[in-house]
Structures are given as C-alpha cells and as structure tokens.
Amino acid sequence: MKRVTLCCAAAVTAALLSSVAGFTTATAAPANPLVAHQAALQAAADQAPALAGTLGLGSQEKLVVKDVVTDANGTRHLRYDRTYAGLRVIGGDLIVDETAAGSVSHVTYANSARIAPAATPKLSADAAASAAAATVAGSNLAKSAPQLVVYAVDTAPTLAYETVVTGVQADQTPIQQHVITDAATGKVLYSYDGIEEATGTGNTEYSGKVTLTTTQSGSTYQLKDGSRGNQQVNTLNHGSGTGTLVTSSNNVFGDGNATTVNTAAADAAYGAAETWDFYKNTFGRNGIKNNGVGALSKVHYGNAYVNAFWDDSCFCMTYGDGSGNAHPLTALDVAGHEMSHGVTSATAGLVYSRESGGLNEATSDIFGTAVEFYANNASDQGDYLIGEKIDIFGNGKPLRYMDQPSKDGQSADYWSSTVGNKDVHYSSGVANHFFYLLSEGSGAKTVNGVNYNSPTSNGQKVTGIGRDKAAAIWFRALTTKFVSTTNYAQARTGTLAAAADLYGGTSSAEYKAVAAAWSGVNVN
C-alpha cells in the first residue's frame, strides 16, 4: 500500500520568521473555556491587520479570524479566512502558529498563491446566475442574487460569482445548490448542495452492517457524503481513470459478498467516514488537508490487482480487488492507512524513500491502526496487525505486525545504519515497533483476543502509556516537528519534543516512555 505522488507542504521562510519575532502577545485567557475562547478570538482579530502586513499580504487583503486553538503550553494556532477588496476568498484561509511569547513560528496556507484576480467581471451577474441554474435539475427553481467572490480552492485565485439555486426535486426533496462560476467565462468552478444528505445502509465484507451517509438525487441514492466534505466512492469497473459514482435505488449498498459490486464500495465508504471522524474527533482535523474537502475513493481497479494506493494528484484512494478479484483491499485499517498518506503529504511531506519513507509508511500504519481501534467495530476489532482482514497472501496472515515487525520475514524490528536501504514498507518496521512499545509496552500481552510478545533491542522493559497518548504524540510530531527529510534520529527528537509539549518536560512519564521506546528499537 503506497502513495503514488508526494507534494511538499508550504512553509514560512526563516527570514519571515525572524521578522515577526516579538509579535504582540495576547493577554492571559480567563479560566472559563467559553470565555477563554472568545478572548482568544478577539485577540486574534485585534492583531489581524498587523499580522497581514507581517505576512506580506497585499494591501487589498484582510484577515478575518475564524478560530483559535490554544495548546497547553500556550502555543496558539490562529485560523483566518481572507478577503480581497472586500470579497470573500474561498480557499484563502491560513493558520498562523504563534508561540506563547507572541512570535510567529509557522504559517500554513490553504492556497499560498498571490491573491490578485481580475479586477472586474467580464460576465454579468444575470449571465452567471443563468449558467448556475442550468446545472441544477428540479422544479420551481429560483436564483439568489450572485455574489462576487474570489475562488482559490483548487486553482489560481479567480474572480467568481456564487449563486444559490433553490427549488424542489422530483421526490419533493428541497434543493439548495451553491454554484461558483468563473466571472470571466461562466464556467462552473465548484458546486455543492447545502441540504441533501441521507442515511443509507452498507452491508460490508469486513465490517458487517454499517450506517452510511449518502446523497439523494431524484430517486437515486449516491455514495457521496455531504457531511464529510462530499467525499465519495466511484467504481472503476475493473478499469482505470476516474470511474463513475456508486449509486443505489434503495439506499442499500452491498450484501456482504466480495463478488457483489457495491460491497467493496460500502467498505470503502465506511472506512473513509471512520477515518474522517477519527481525525476530526481526536485531533480537530477537518479532512485530510484540514480544509473540509473530502477525498475520492475508487474501487474495482484493474483486474485481480493486489494493492491499494493513495495518489495526491487526484486526491484519491484506489483499491484493487485482490487475487482472483475475490479479496478487495477495502478493509478498515487499509482505508485509514491510505487516507493517512494524504495527511502526511499535507503536513510533514515525508519523502517516500530511505528513512523518511519508512516514517511515512509507518505513519499510515500507525493511524490506520488507530482508526481501527477508534471505530470499535465488533466485526473488525482493533489490533496491531496490518491488513489482517484482506488475506493478501492467501494464508490468513496479516501484511505486517507492529509488535514484532520481523515476523513478516522482511521488516526491521530495530534501527541499523542500513535500514534506510530497505523498501519503505519494511524500514517502517522500526517506527511501527516504536509505536507498539509506546502504546502497550514490551513482553507478552493480549489485546482484543490477539496475543502479542514484543521484544526490545536492549533487553530493557518498556512500559506503555496507552494508544491514545502514543497517537497524540505521533500526530503532534508529524504536524509540528517533522519535515520532509526527517530520519529516525530526528524522529526521536521530534517525538520527545511533542511529548514535552503535550505532557510536560523531561521529567514526565510520557517523555520518559518515548525515550525508552526509541531505545527499545535501537534509536538512541
């Protein structure tokens, strides 16, 4: 399970960081969480004009505070939307990381391109509204007055109109379609429905009967999840490309059998939903890129294709159907694994080779495992085995083992100077083993009916701190410490810093456990 493409995350240059040292510090927050949050929002709003200048934004750009998250150590993550000449910039949001002392340490842009769209529209508002309405099917259609915006979600910032088309579908379901059209050409840049969601049923192969969020279109139900960024599932019908959206006439998808076309689609939709919820409810992350946009899942790729992969270029996951097209690779931990490649790309951007590639692959194993535990599904209980449901070898054995990675015959239990020469799926064993030790500790243990017996390179006992804390430390390191070329030694440093951020300094039990777990895999 590998990713096809890697993109680098935008970072703030050292020159910019040095120029903002000593930025005005917000006043101490009150103890009441609601009051504290409002105070933080006000402080962020107050400093927005000066911050826009510091970041080098154009004179027509303004920052509008949207949210503030404050870490236990006082670090603030200030989320802003942008306006340009008074127009809302869709996709112009950014996050400023500010230390407790008030200096800016990092800035993350949804779109770092210069906001400089055409000054005036070539298309009239009436023409834009007509173009928008032409894309919507229904009766009693009405168009709102189009509003000029700057659209910057997946393209260079473009002057556009937003039109809301309302009406009624044939089955009496109301329509509230938001349509973004290019103000020069009338081309539809983006469209989403503000109302239509349905609760469907998925009869999956691996996770049993589950509830799915679907979208109703006339008398047809689409495997499209409007509550999770419109992420959807397409079928490739044993081909390639984009495929076609999976639909059902009765809002039931699959029957639990691998040979039924929509069964794999139900598994993929369920895995995508659980992964979205895991990141949002555990870390407050709103989708893979933290921009609210859902990913595309594609099932039934190729013929007897024994793999699954994430591709940044299409922001999508692709699943083969396994040997003899009888074992689709759509199990829950595989879905979590693949989507987590996208999270890594959007954050640390770990280069997919040598030690950084091992860390990249391990990150997906770590969070794929965390998703499986999070889902708490009786048909696929959480474990520290990777791909145990998909029977990729035809002998019932999992793809990888986190407690003792070498049990697969190729993965590394411990770091050595040559570990970076291994395929990244096997050099990942070092970090996978670290995560198991940090979560559960060394020695024999049974979790959800699975027996483990994890060794250490130095023979020393490691006491685990629990999976939730281990995952929090890894996520903190991934999003605030790791860079594209991070190796194992630097990962040790980064996770120790993350543990200190979350749980206290070098004297905390969590910090000591991180150090012990890394030593247990020979990273010292």
Side-chain angles (χ1 to χ4, degrees):
M1 295 176 285
K2 64 181 182 180
R3 166 174 55 174
V4 175
T5 318
L6 255 174
C7 294
C8 298
V12 181
T13 63
L16 175 57
L17 293 183
S18 64
S19 72
V20 297
F23 201 82
T24 304
T25 307
T27 56
N32 184 293
L34 293 177
V35 174
H37 188 241
Q38 288 299 318
L41 289 171
Q42 185 60 55
D46 291 344
Q47 66 187 45
L51 183 59
T54 299
L55 298 180
L57 301 185
S59 60
Q60 304 236 51
E61 295 180 70
K62 291 186 178 180
L63 295 175
V64 179
V65 66
K66 183 177 182 181
D67 195 17
V68 177
V69 175
T70 305
D71 293 341
N73 66 355
T75 298
R76 290 175 292 277
H77 307 275
L78 315 178
R79 184 183 296 275
Y80 292 99
D81 286 331
R82 266 190 284 184
T83 63
Y84 177 83
L87 304 178
R88 181 165 56 99
V89 180
I90 301 173
D93 53 296
L94 54 87
I95 301 171
V96 178
D97 295 338
E98 185 179 79
T99 68
S103 62
V104 174
S105 59
H106 186 266
V107 181
T108 304
Y109 295 90
N111 189 334
S112 59
R114 180 170 174 263
I115 306 294
T120 57
K122 294 182 179 179
L123 199 69
S124 71
D126 287 343
S130 296
T135 68
V136 180
S139 60
N140 300 318
L141 295 181
K143 309 180 289 282
S144 70
Q147 299 294 313
L148 275 175
V149 296
V150 177
Y151 180 76
V153 173
D154 52 10
T155 185
T158 303
L159 190 64
Y161 285 104
E162 179 180 26
T163 305
V164 180
V165 181
T166 58
V168 181
Q169 291 190 21
D171 65 352
Q172 303 182 53
T173 302
I175 297 168
Q176 190 190 93
Q177 195 75 22
H178 296 247
V179 185
I180 311 298
T181 50
D182 191 311
T185 67
K187 176 184 177 182
V188 175
L189 300 173
Y190 182 61
S191 179
Y192 70 94
D193 196 329
I195 290 180
E196 292 176 76
E197 295 174 9
T199 299
T201 299
N203 294 304
T204 72
E205 179 180 2
Y206 303 115
S207 298
K209 186 175 182 178
V210 298
T211 298
L212 302 175
T213 302
T214 60
T215 296
Q216 186 175 359
S217 177
S219 60
T220 300
Y221 296 91
Q222 303 171 335
L223 210 48
K224 183 176 183 179
D225 190 340
S227 67
R228 298 176 177 89
N230 283 325
Q231 59 189 21
Q232 69 182 58
V233 181
N234 286 8
T235 178
L236 299 175
N237 294 314
H238 298 296
S240 59
T242 302
T244 56
L245 179 60
V246 174
T247 62
S248 166
S249 61
N250 61 359
N251 214 9
V252 176
F253 295 83
D255 60 6
N257 297 310
T259 55
T260 301
V261 172
N262 280 1
T263 296
D267 272 295
Y270 175 67
E274 289 297 324
T275 302
W276 177 287
D277 290 351
F278 163 74
Y279 277 108
K280 185 171 185 178
N281 296 333
T282 307
F283 304 122
R285 189 172 187 82
N286 194 18
I288 287 174
K289 288 186 176 180
N290 204 22
N291 63 355
V293 177
L296 168 65
S297 297
K298 299 188 288 186
V299 296
H300 303 306
Y301 173 79
N303 184 31
Y305 181 68
V306 190
N307 210 340
F309 55 87
W310 169 266
D311 184 347
D312 274 336
S313 68
C314 65
F315 197 57
C316 66
M317 297 167 291
T318 301
Y319 300 96
D321 282 340
S323 180
N325 292 318
H327 298 282
L329 277 78
T330 48
L332 184 56
D333 59 349
V334 178
H337 174 109
E338 300 306 341
M339 292 182 79
S340 293
H341 274 309
V343 174
T344 296
S345 177
T347 54
L350 290 160
V351 175
Y352 205 63
S353 64
R354 303 189 67 80
E355 291 190 19
S356 61
L359 287 165
N360 186 316
E361 192 64 26
T363 295
S364 283
D365 282 351
I366 287 167
F367 290 129
T369 294
V371 167
E372 193 176 68
F373 275 102
Y374 171 86
N376 195 27
N377 184 292
S379 297
D380 186 6
Q381 289 190 309
D383 53 51
Y384 294 93
L385 309 174
I386 308 300
E388 74 282 356
K389 284 280 190 178
I390 57 179
D391 195 22
I392 201 168
F393 302 118
N395 57 8
K397 292 184 177 180
L399 192 60
R400 289 186 286 279
Y401 306 78
M402 300 185 83
D403 65 317
Q404 190 176 352
S406 62
K407 287 194 288 188
D408 68 12
Q410 299 188 76
S411 291
D413 287 335
Y414 313 120
W415 182 87
S416 72
S417 60
T418 61
V419 76
N421 297 330
K422 286 181 171 288
D423 180 280
V424 295
H425 296 84
Y426 306 131
S427 62
S428 63
V430 179
N432 281 345
H433 193 188
F434 159 80
F435 181 77
Y436 177 86
L437 288 171
L438 184 60
S439 298
E440 304 292 348
S442 58
K445 189 168 189 178
T446 301
V447 181
N448 284 343
V450 180
N451 298 323
Y452 304 97
N453 195 356
S454 192
T456 59
S457 64
N458 55 11
Q460 297 297 307
K461 179 182 177 180
V462 174
T463 300
I465 59 173
R467 185 178 50 259
D468 291 346
K469 285 184 176 181
I473 289 168
W474 194 267
F475 184 80
R476 175 77 178 179
L478 179 74
T479 55
T480 69
K481 313 298 180 186
F482 292 176
V483 295
S484 60
T485 57
T486 294
N487 58 27
Y488 273 113
Q490 293 163 337
R492 176 188 170 105
T493 300
T495 50
L496 285 169
D501 286 350
L502 295 173
Y503 303 111
T506 58
S507 62
S508 70
E510 292 81 3
Y511 185 98
K512 292 176 180 178
V514 170
W518 277 124
S519 295
V521 296
N522 198 35
V523 179
N524 296 297

